[in-house]
Amino acid sequence: MECTRALFVPEISHRKVGSLEAVSFFPYREIERWILTKHHAAGYRIYRFFAAQIVAPFLHEYRVGDETARVIGIDERVEGGYSHTAVLARYGARRAGLEYRPGALIARNRVHYAGKSLQYRLEHPRDFRYRGEKGGRAILVDDVVTTGSTLAEAHTLLRRYGVEVLFAVTLADAAR
C-alpha cells in the first residue's frame, strides 16, 4: 500500500468553470490509463481506491457541525456493471462522513464527449434531470474536467433548484 500511495501523490489544482470552482487532483496525462479503466470491470476497484485515498480525505474537510453538504455525482448512469462517478461520490462521501445522493443528477442525452470539441459539447448538452431536494449545499463529483461544459450545465441546473454548489471535485484536469 505504501508503494501505491507514493505513486499517486495528488497535485491539487483549482480551475474556474463559470462561477464554479473545480478542484482536481492530477493532470489527466498522469493518470489517463487509470481513468480509462472505467470501461472495464477492474476499474471499480481502481475508482474505489481513488475515492478512499484521494477524494474522501479532501471531502472530510467540508463537514461543518451538523450542517453538511451532500455529495452529488455527475451522471451516475450504470455502464459495464457500475458507475465510475457513483463509486467516487459514494465511497468518497461515506468515508468523509458526508451525505450522498445516489442518482440525483442524470443526463437525458447520452452523448459521449470523449475527444469532442467545446463547440460540439455546447451544441449537444447533457440535458440533466435533477431528482433531489431543493435548497441546501452540495459538492459535485466527476472523474475528469475537460472543457468544463458538463460541470457548468450541472451547476446551472442545481442553482435553479436553490442548491448552493460549493465546488466540484474531479480526479483529473485535462487542461493540465
Side-chain angles (χ1 to χ4, degrees), residues 17 113 121 124-128 148-158 160:
V17 175
Y113 284 168
R121 293 164 190 243
H124 301 88
R126 297 276 185 179
D127 190 24
F128 287 113
S149 63
T150 298
L151 291 176
E153 185 179 346
H155 184 220
T156 298
L157 177 64
L158 290 172
R160 281 192 223 133

Side-chain angles (χ1 to χ4, degrees), residues 70-109:
R70 60 189 178 266
V71 175
I72 299 173
I74 300 275
D75 197 21
E76 297 180 335
R77 188 175 306 278
V78 174
E79 292 182 12
Y82 71 98
S83 164
H84 60 285
T85 52
V87 171
L88 288 175
R90 177 181 174 211
Y91 287 100
R94 285 188 177 168
R95 286 186 175 237
L98 294 171
E99 183 181 350
Y100 165 62
R101 289 294 182 214
L105 193 62
I106 300 292
R108 289 185 267 219
N109 184 355

Side-chain angles (χ1 to χ4, degrees), residues 132-152:
E133 301 89 22
K134 292 183 178 183
R137 300 179 324 160
I139 299 168
L140 290 175
V141 176
D142 204 358
D143 61 339
V144 178
V145 58
T146 305
T147 64
S149 63
T150 298
L151 291 176

Side-chain angles (χ1 to χ4, degrees), residues 154-174:
H155 184 220
T156 298
L157 177 64
L158 290 172
R159 282 195 316 216
R160 281 192 223 133
Y161 283 87
V163 177
E164 176 191 359
V165 180
L166 301 176
F167 56 89
V169 171
T170 67
L171 287 180
D173 186 337

Side-chain angles (χ1 to χ4, degrees), residues 18-93:
S19 62
L20 179 66
E21 176 103 10
V23 178
S24 300
F25 300 104
F26 302 97
Y28 180 78
R29 69 188 174 285
E30 287 187 13
I31 63 166
E32 179 179 16
R33 69 183 294 195
W34 305 110
I35 292 285
L36 295 177
T37 65
K38 67 185 172 186
H39 303 295
H40 306 283
Y44 175 82
R45 290 192 182 275
I46 292 167
Y47 274 76
R48 261 186 83 174
F49 166 81
F50 280 124
Q53 300 299 318
I54 307 296
V55 177
F58 184 83
L59 292 178
H60 185 53
E61 299 299 315
Y62 291 92
R63 294 177 14 184
V64 183
D66 290 336
E67 184 185 355
T68 61
R70 60 189 178 266
V71 175
I72 299 173
I74 300 275
D75 197 21
E76 297 180 335
R77 188 175 306 278
V78 174
E79 292 182 12
Y82 71 98
S83 164
H84 60 285
T85 52
V87 171
L88 288 175
R90 177 181 174 211
Y91 287 100

